[in-house]
Amino acid sequence: MTDDKVGRTRRGGASKAHSSARRQAAVNVDKIPSRAKGKAVSTTMDEPRPEDAESQEENEDVEENISEEGEEEGEEGEEGVDEEAEEADEEADEEGDDDGEEEIDEEAEEEMEEEEEAEQPPPEPKKPRKKVTRVTQGRNPPRVKPPPVTCYDGGPSDLSLLPGFGKHVVVPLWKGELQSRYLRVMNNGKKINNFKICPKEYSWFWNVVNASGLETLRRTNYNHTDWGLLTAFAERWHPETGTFHLPIGEMTITLDDVSSLLHIPITGKMLDHNGTSCTKEDGEEMCVEYLNFPISKCKKEFQKMKGAHIGFKALKDLYLDNLKDALKAERLKKPAEDVEFLRECTIRCYLLYLIGATIFTNKSMQYVDVIFLTYLRDLSLVNTWNWGASGLAYLYNYLDAASRPRCGNHGGYNCLFQAWIMAHFKTFGGRFVDERYTHDNPYAARFLPLKGPKFPGQHRSALDTMRMDEVVFCPYEEHRQTRPFQDISWYTGWIMCGSAIINPHLPERVLRQFGHVQSIPRHPDVSAKAGMNRFTIADAFASYLTANYVTEEMRGPKVVRAFDTVPGYIPWLYRVSHPKILPPVEADPPTHANLEEDNVSGECDVSEVTKKVRADLRKALDGQLNLADALVVIEKAYTDLDPVDAYLVRRKRRRDSGEGTKKRKKKKKTTTEDAGTSSL
C-alpha cells in the first residue's frame, strides 16, 4: 500500500485521513479494553462503515459475556479472540487497496455525527462549585473581635441612654480629629426678604394669607446666619433624646419655642403624606390644577430638578404670571370663576414659596417639594394643619444628620435655630436687638444676627466652659400677653413631617425651660414608643391628654432659681452623656467630683440664703408636720443650701491657689503708683 497520506495504516498506526475518521478512531481506542486483563482488543483502525456498528455491538456483547463468565472461561475467550483477530486481519488485507482508494463522504459523516448527538441525552446542569475556604489557622490565627465598647473618654460611661454614641461626631472630635469641620448652613432668608409681594390694598390676597397662619414667616428671616455657632450646637445634638447635651444639662427647641419665635400654628393635624415627595405624574396634575402651571413647562421643570420639585425662580415667575392674569381678568370683567381661579393660584404660589424657603428648607436650597401643595389645595383649611410641629420635625431630622461625622450641609429652618440660640443664650453669637421691635411681631424678629466665622472652634470651647448664669431658660415671660403658653407644648412622643420624617419631642427632659425643677428624666423609649407609624402617631397627638402628656406630678415643683435641678442630676448627666466634647489640657484636668459647683454662679449672698433657709425651717417646726411634709421641707432646705456650699468651696480654692492674693497685691501696687504720681 502506497504512502500517499490518504489511506490508513492498520494495527494502531497513525492515520492521516479526514478529521472525523480520526475522531471516530480515537473513540474506538478509548473503548478497547486492556489485553493484560484478558479482554478482547481490536487492532484495526478502519474507516467507520455500516458493518462497523454491528461489529461494535458484537464487541460490546463479547465484553459483557467475558465479564460475566469470569476466570474459568478466560483461556477459551482468548483463543476465540485470537482467531477472530486473524480473520479480521486477512479480510483487511484483501480489502485494503480498495479502502485506500475510496474517499470519505463528508456529508454522510456529518449526518451520522448529528444523529449520534441527537441520540445522546442532554448534559446534566453543572452543580455550583463549592467554595473551598482555606484553613490558615496555623499561619494566620483568626482575628479576635474587639470587646464591645462600654464607655468613652470624656463620657458616657453608661451607654443605656445613648447606645449609638460610637457613631456620633463627638467621638472623633474628642480624639483631636475633624477640628476644621464646619456645616454649610442653608438659609433662604434673602429670598424672602427680597420677595416683592402684593400691595396691601389687594385684600383678596392678604385676607387669605393672614388667615392661613403662615404670614408671620416672612418676618422671621435673617440675611446672615452664624455657621460656626450653629455647627457647635448641632454637634451636641443627640437623636435618641431629641435634645442638645450641654455642660449645664439638656436643652431643646420645643413646640413652645416654635409658637413664640414664629407665631405659626402648633395645634391641629400634622402633615401626614407618604414619603418625602410625590410622583411626577401626581405632581404634574396638582401643578396644572392648583398652580395654573402649563403641563409642558411643568414637565421641563421636573426634568431640570430631577423630580417632582419646582425651583424657586420658576415658582416666583409663576406667581407673577398668575398675579398679572388675575388683575387682567378682573379689569376685563371676565367670569367670576376665572378670576377666582387665578387669584387662588396666585396665593398658592406665594404660600408654597414661603414655606419652601423657610420651615421646609432642604439641603439644595434651590427648590420646594410639590408634595406640600397637597395641604394648600383648600385655602380655607390651611390654618388647620400643624405647620409648627411638622416644621420642627423637619429641623430635627437635619439635626440628626448633622450629628454624624460625614455631614457637610445643614438644612431645615436655620433662622429658627439661630433665633432659639439668641433667645436662650445671652453671650453666644453676635447680634443686635431691633429697637423698633414690638411684641406684636414674632419673638425671632427681635434679633438682627451678625455673620460670624464659619469655623466653630471658638464656640466649642465656649460651650465647654459655659455656666448656668449664661442661660435664659424662660425668655418669653414678657411675650406671653401676645403669645400665651399652649398646653399642647406638654405633648411627649413623636412628631412628624410625613411618614419619612419622625422624631421625638420630649419636654420632660427640659423642665427648666417650662419653669420647673429639672429631674432625672425617664428613658426616651418610654415616652416615644417604638413601632408607631404615621397613623398611630397622628392619633396619639390628637388624643395626647390620655397618655402622651407630661402630667403635673411629672413636672415637679416650680424653680426658685432658673437653673434648679434635683440632687444628682448633673452627675447623672456626666455619666450617661458627654457634656464636654473637647479633652481638657494637662494643666486643667476635668473635675467630675465638683460638677455641680462648677456650674453655679460665683455670686452668692450667703447670709441671705441661710437666713431664708432658717426662716423656712422655723416656720415648718412651728407648725404640725407629718413625715411626708417634713421630708419635703428638708429636701427644699438641702437644695437651697447647694449654692452656698459651692460658693464656699470656690472661695477656698481661690484662696489656696493664691489667685485672690495676686489680685489684691496687683491692686495695691497700682494704688501705690497712682499715689506716687499724684504727689509729683
Side-chain angles (χ1 to χ4, degrees), residues 157-439:
S157 59
D158 180 2
L159 294 178
S160 59
L161 180 64
L162 306 176
F165 182 75
K167 298 180 180 180
H168 200 274
V169 68
V170 171
V171 176
L173 284 175
W174 184 271
K175 297 178 181 178
E177 305 169 2
L178 303 178
Q179 293 297 324
S180 59
R181 174 186 184 264
Y182 67 91
L183 296 175
R184 185 172 179 266
V185 178
M186 304 293 105
N187 177 29
N188 288 310
K190 290 183 179 180
K191 288 186 177 71
I192 299 297
N193 293 336
N194 297 332
F195 193 93
K196 294 182 180 179
I197 54 179
C198 290
K200 291 294 183 181
E201 56 265 21
Y202 294 149
S203 58
W204 58 267
F205 178 88
W206 287 108
N207 289 341
V208 177
V209 172
N210 292 334
S212 68
L214 299 173
E215 182 273 335
T216 54
L217 289 175
R218 69 184 185 88
R219 291 178 271 163
T220 58
N221 300 279
Y222 306 135
N223 290 339
H224 303 288
T225 52
D226 193 335
W227 289 15
L229 180 63
L230 299 187
T231 300
F233 270 89
E235 290 170 348
R236 297 172 182 270
W237 175 266
H238 280 278
E240 294 91 342
T241 60
T243 57
F244 301 97
H245 289 214
L246 303 168
I248 52 90
E250 293 182 66
M251 295 188 68
T252 193
I253 308 172
T254 65
L255 289 174
D256 181 52
D257 289 308
V258 175
S259 176
S260 300
L261 291 170
L262 303 183
H263 285 194
I264 60 176
I266 61 172
T267 58
K269 189 177 180 180
M270 291 182 287
L271 310 190
D272 57 356
H273 52 271
N274 189 19
T276 58
S277 183
C278 60
T279 62
K280 289 185 178 181
E281 293 76 13
D282 294 340
E284 291 169 2
E285 293 180 2
M286 287 194 294
C287 288
V288 172
E289 184 176 358
Y290 300 112
L291 297 181
N292 194 26
F293 200 6
I295 186 65
S296 59
K297 293 183 178 180
C298 183
K299 289 184 176 180
K300 187 180 295 184
E301 183 67 17
F302 284 5
Q303 184 177 4
K304 178 182 177 182
M305 294 297 166
K306 300 180 180 180
H309 320 300
I310 302 181
F312 286 114
K313 183 180 183 305
L315 188 57
K316 185 177 181 180
D317 294 340
L318 185 60
Y319 159 79
L320 295 175
D321 292 341
N322 283 322
L323 179 59
K324 292 178 182 179
D325 293 342
L327 297 177
K328 183 178 179 180
E330 184 180 3
R331 186 172 63 254
L332 297 178
K333 297 182 179 181
K334 289 187 176 183
E337 295 179 356
D338 296 343
V339 176
E340 186 66 20
F341 170 74
L342 293 172
R343 286 178 174 178
E344 290 182 352
C345 290
T346 303
I347 297 171
R348 291 192 190 97
C349 288
Y350 175 73
L351 292 179
L352 186 62
Y353 189 101
L354 183 63
I355 62 176
T358 54
I359 55 177
F360 300 129
T361 301
N362 51 50
K363 284 187 177 182
S364 72
M365 210 170 64
Q366 299 295 325
Y367 61 79
V368 57
D369 293 314
V370 179
I371 190 67
F372 296 116
L373 185 59
T374 308
Y375 308 98
L376 303 176
R377 289 179 294 186
D378 190 346
L379 293 175
S380 62
L381 299 178
V382 174
N383 62 346
T384 62
W385 293 101
N386 195 333
W387 300 101
S390 296
L392 182 59
Y394 201 81
L395 176 59
Y396 279 0
N397 183 65
Y398 278 107
L399 285 170
D400 291 351
S403 65
R404 303 306 180 195
R406 299 184 63 180
C407 182
N409 296 348
H410 182 54
Y413 195 19
N414 286 306
C415 291
L416 168 64
F417 191 8
Q418 176 106 24
W420 178 82
I421 295 174
M422 291 186 294
H424 286 276
F425 301 90
K426 298 181 293 185
T427 60
F428 290 91
R431 88 289 297 271
F432 290 110
V433 177
D434 190 355
E435 297 179 355
R436 298 172 298 176
Y437 171 78
T438 60
H439 287 286

Side-chain angles (χ1 to χ4, degrees), residues 529-550:
K529 299 178 181 179
M532 300 184 69
N533 55 34
R534 55 183 173 136
F535 303 108
T536 54
I537 291 173
D539 294 339
F541 188 82
S543 57
Y544 69 97
L545 286 174
T546 57
N548 306 292
Y549 187 74
V550 180

